[in-house]
Amino acid sequence: MLRAVSPHLSALMLLCVIAMPLKAAESVETHLQQLLQAGAAGELPATDRLDWSVLQSLYERSGGQLLWSNMRGEAKTVMQRELEHWIRVSLQHGLDPSDYQYSRLQQPFSAGSAMSPEPVLNDLLLSDSFMRLARDLAGVTPSAEEHDRLWRFQPRTLDAADLLLQASAAEEVGATLQALLPRSAEYQRLVEHYTQLLQRTDRETWVALDLSMNGLLRTGASHSVVVGVRELLIRKELLNSAESSFEPQEVYTPLVVDAVRAFQQQQGLEPDGILGPATRAALQRSPEQQLQQVRVNLQRWRWLPRDLGERYLLVRTGTYSMTLVEQDRAVQQYRIISGRPHRPTLSFESDVDHLIMHPPWTVPFRLAVEDLLPKQRKDPDYFARQQIEVLQKVDGSWQPVDPEGIDWASLSRRNFPYLLRQRPGPLNSLGRIRFGMSNPYSIYLHDTPQQTLFESTERAFSSGCIRVDEIEDLAQRLLGERSLEQALNTSRTHTLRLERPLPVYLVYLTVWVDEQQQGHYHPDVYGLDWQLQQALGPLPEVPDPKTEQGALAQTVLKE
């Protein structure tokens, strides 16, 4: 009996069974069960990475039938080739083909760790690869809830075994895996951007340059670091090599200043053309660091719902930008202000279903006790000047009270019984328009009287809500033929319902690619990129083009 012999002898006997023609085994089901039991017991060589419990459940649901071969042991070659193709393509999506047995798929059958020529073991290996790849493409792994403290979207789920059973029945592996990916054109542009970076990194050898200096460098100044700056800008294709060669290499000429300004624009830095510490640090980022930043943003996209709808708002809280999208096209871009690092904007989805004209502002409790209470303590007239009324609950309803009769110094978070509400008007923090969107976080899109803040490049100024530049343009687009100007001319607070709710997706992205294929990078203001990088692990190695599998991978990168 198999259990009465040593593990080494058991493995040897199993390998002998594997090497036998399939028809020599009692049945496919018996052979399959032998391998599943041996794999779960750790008795099959070079299969320790397989998820044997999931495989056992899968083949119970298949009735013991093979999924990648027919009953005669003949391979379903189209399915297998499609899986092999998608494992190669996974590299473009920031995933690691080695996680899905890529090297084993590529090695000849005679190699010790290669795909077995025996259909049953081959079936197990292919099934494990498919299910792992499917979960990663679908954004199920790694889990958003474990690696992003601000994520509030519904968790991604996938029954990978059921998906494989359906794909096998229809013999449609490629289309099945494709359907798991985000449908947004912006995700595809990010994939293409990542692929271009991979190709460039593969061609170039990165050499860090010393750009250390004191102070700032402005137009016309001379310094030895300008030589290195020119080289880096040429590498990034922002400075013409031929034009640069005709200039004094250590002079910070207008040509270089313009290239630096373009670089600053891409990196979310103040585009002033001044060569300061932040710009020098960004110039010295390695291609690997750039790839990692794009990679984590690809992962965030896979955490989002697959289909965002025909018309929606995409709010990128990490890049201070918002896009109105219709039919997968960017109709209009808007600058936004998002939450400060210690009061960050959460990532979640909602719907805008109404607009509030001249809204009052009911101050959230945290802001009331942390921000406004200290100001009122210092200045007893602060609330009066800011048009903030104080309310206290009396017989179950909030009633106005006189702030002059309150001992503000005696109040704190622990004993603050009041509700603060700012009246509509030119001082109101919500401005003239608030977008009504149901959510448990009290986060909204709204106007602001502080319009000058939009001129800053980094705009993490709010307490969590999103302030929108040119909000009247967006409001009029949503109202259609109804007149926003007429609605605003009425000074009282009133609500306008939208004919159709508009989906809104707030998501922390630090890289995005516009429709002109221009990448926009921003600093990781919430510190979430690094945490996700740790979960994703080191960058996948691009296969050596001199090897057969490397040549195949390079072909995919160029497609």
Side-chain angles (χ1 to χ4, degrees):
M1 295 291 293
L2 194 60
R3 293 180 180 175
V5 296
S6 71
H8 296 293
L9 186 54
S10 298
L12 180 61
M13 293 171 65
L14 277 164
L15 288 174
C16 291
V17 173
I18 289 171
M20 296 167 59
L22 182 61
K23 61 183 179 181
E26 293 180 20
S27 68
V28 169
E29 188 173 355
T30 300
H31 198 177
L32 182 61
Q33 288 304 315
Q34 288 177 330
L35 291 178
L36 286 169
Q37 292 170 12
E43 296 173 352
L44 282 181
T47 61
D48 55 300
R49 294 182 62 187
L50 273 65
D51 193 334
W52 289 102
S53 63
V54 173
L55 288 170
Q56 284 178 320
S57 173
L58 169 70
Y59 284 95
E60 285 175 8
R61 293 161 70 175
S62 79
Q65 300 298 309
L66 298 183
L67 302 175
W68 302 87
S69 300
N70 60 28
M71 292 300 296
R72 296 185 300 278
E74 298 167 343
K76 297 178 180 178
T77 54
V78 173
M79 281 180 58
Q80 294 190 17
R81 286 172 183 165
E82 286 182 354
L83 177 60
E84 181 183 327
H85 170 78
W86 270 92
I87 290 175
R88 292 199 307 269
V89 167
S90 71
L91 182 67
Q92 300 177 352
H93 295 266
L95 302 174
D96 190 344
S98 68
D99 290 340
Y100 320 111
Q101 314 270 358
Y102 181 61
S103 60
R104 299 184 73 168
L105 286 169
Q106 289 300 312
Q107 292 174 8
F109 286 160
S110 59
S113 62
M115 295 290 291
S116 167
E118 201 284 327
V120 179
L121 182 56
N122 199 39
D123 222 75
L124 296 171
L125 295 170
L126 290 164
S127 293
D128 183 83
S129 296
F130 175 94
M131 290 189 291
R132 288 177 187 271
L133 178 59
R135 285 191 290 267
D136 288 352
L137 291 175
V140 175
T141 50
S143 162
E145 295 70 37
E146 292 180 15
H147 302 291
D148 189 328
R149 69 182 187 277
L150 304 180
W151 201 262
R152 299 295 185 274
F153 285 87
Q154 285 294 317
R156 301 286 303 161
T157 59
L158 178 72
D159 186 339
D162 183 65
L163 189 73
L164 175 52
L165 292 172
Q166 294 178 39
S168 177
E171 297 194 18
E172 283 282 358
V173 167
T176 300
L177 293 174
Q178 175 70 55
L180 299 175
L181 290 170
R183 298 176 186 174
S184 168
E186 186 167 323
Y187 175 77
Q188 187 54 45
R189 292 196 295 269
L190 199 60
V191 168
E192 293 168 1
H193 186 69
Y194 184 80
T195 304
Q196 291 169 1
L197 290 175
L198 282 173
Q199 292 173 323
R200 188 183 306 166
T201 304
D202 185 54
R203 290 194 308 266
E204 299 175 355
T205 301
W206 173 256
V207 178
L209 300 177
D210 183 10
L211 300 184
S212 57
M213 60 169 286
N214 295 321
L216 308 174
L217 213 58
R218 291 181 168 83
T219 307
S222 295
H223 198 285
S224 58
V225 300
V226 179
V227 177
V229 169
R230 287 176 182 270
E231 182 176 337
L232 290 171
L233 292 170
I234 289 169
R235 285 186 201 172
K236 297 177 185 298
E237 300 179 357
L238 294 172
L239 181 64
N240 183 283
S241 176
E243 292 179 358
S244 175
S245 66
F246 289 107
E247 296 190 332
Q249 294 299 289
E250 294 191 356
V251 178
Y252 196 46
T253 64
L255 182 70
V256 182
V257 171
D258 288 344
V260 166
R261 189 175 288 112
F263 174 75
Q264 290 169 329
Q265 189 79 44
Q266 290 179 9
Q267 299 296 312
L269 301 171
E270 193 66 40
D272 53 15
I274 297 172
L275 189 64
T279 300
R280 294 198 300 273
L283 280 166
Q284 290 178 292
R285 293 185 72 212
S286 69
E288 287 74 17
Q289 291 172 307
Q290 197 173 8
L291 281 166
Q292 279 285 28
Q293 188 175 359
V294 178
R295 189 183 182 211
V296 299
N297 283 272
L298 286 168
Q299 181 62 49
R300 290 193 184 104
W301 266 101
R302 290 194 293 273
W303 286 342
L304 289 171
R306 294 286 76 89
D307 188 356
L308 303 181
E310 293 185 0
R311 191 186 195 213
Y312 60 89
L313 282 172
L314 178 64
V315 183
R316 307 177 198 84
T317 58
T319 66
Y320 317 112
S321 62
M322 180 175 73
T323 304
L324 175 62
V325 180
E326 296 179 359
Q327 303 293 335
D328 221 12
R329 289 180 52 254
V331 174
Q332 187 65 39
Q333 302 282 356
Y334 300 93
R335 295 181 297 182
I336 65 166
I337 291 169
S338 52
R340 286 169 274 178
H342 66 285
R343 288 181 184 168
T345 303
L346 300 176
S347 293
F348 68 98
E349 63 179 303
S350 184
D351 292 307
V352 173
D353 56 10
H354 64 280
L355 308 182
I356 303 172
M357 305 292 116
H358 306 294
W361 178 42
T362 301
V363 183
F365 178 80
R366 179 182 178 184
L367 275 63
V369 297
E370 292 183 7
D371 296 357
L372 301 189
L373 176 58
K375 293 178 180 178
Q376 178 68 8
R377 283 179 186 151
K378 293 180 181 178
D379 179 2
D381 295 325
Y382 177 77
F383 284 172
R385 282 201 315 276
Q386 295 298 317
Q387 294 291 296
I388 295 173
E389 58 180 339
V390 182
L391 299 96
Q392 186 172 20
K393 188 166 282 190
V394 178
D395 296 330
S397 63
W398 291 102
Q399 301 295 330
V401 296
D402 186 355
E404 292 186 3
I406 298 172
D407 181 8
W408 296 105
S410 68
L411 298 177
S412 68
R413 171 186 288 273
R414 294 187 299 274
N415 65 342
F416 191 84
Y418 303 107
L419 179 72
L420 304 182
R421 186 166 60 199
Q422 190 176 35
R423 300 182 186 91
L427 298 177
N428 188 280
S429 296
L430 303 183
R432 299 203 298 167
I433 305 173
R434 177 168 79 81
F435 284 29
M437 41 190 279
S438 176
N439 68 90
Y441 318 114
S442 298
I443 294 177
Y444 308 99
L445 310 182
H446 64 81
D447 189 15
T448 177
Q450 297 175 301
Q451 292 292 312
T452 56
L453 293 179
F454 289 110
E455 301 307 316
S456 299
T457 302
E458 294 188 35
R459 296 187 291 276
F461 299 136
S462 84
S463 293
C465 281
I466 300 296
R467 307 176 197 174
V468 182
D469 190 23
E470 299 182 359
I471 196 169
E472 294 183 9
D473 174 85
L474 176 58
Q476 184 60 72
R477 289 175 184 271
L478 301 190
L479 289 174
E481 295 182 359
R482 287 181 287 176
S483 170
L484 175 67
E485 182 179 359
Q486 184 177 346
L488 288 173
N489 283 339
T490 303
S491 59
R492 62 179 176 83
T493 300
H494 61 289
T495 298
L496 298 177
R497 294 281 169 184
L498 300 184
E499 293 182 2
R500 285 193 308 166
L502 179 70
V504 182
Y505 304 92
L506 294 87
V507 56
Y508 182 68
L509 298 171
T510 60
V511 180
W512 67 288
V513 179
D514 62 29
E515 291 184 315
Q516 288 69 49
Q517 310 302 319
Q518 179 62 61
H520 301 268
Y521 292 74
H522 285 257
D524 181 18
V525 66
Y526 292 166
L528 297 176
D529 282 1
W530 182 87
Q531 185 178 359
L532 185 50
Q533 284 179 23
Q534 305 312 299
L536 294 174
L539 284 171
E541 291 187 11
V542 178
D544 185 347
K546 295 178 183 177
T547 66
E548 181 180 358
Q549 67 191 66
L552 288 168
Q554 291 293 322
T555 300
V556 170
L557 287 177
K558 294 173 182 176
E559 288 179 355

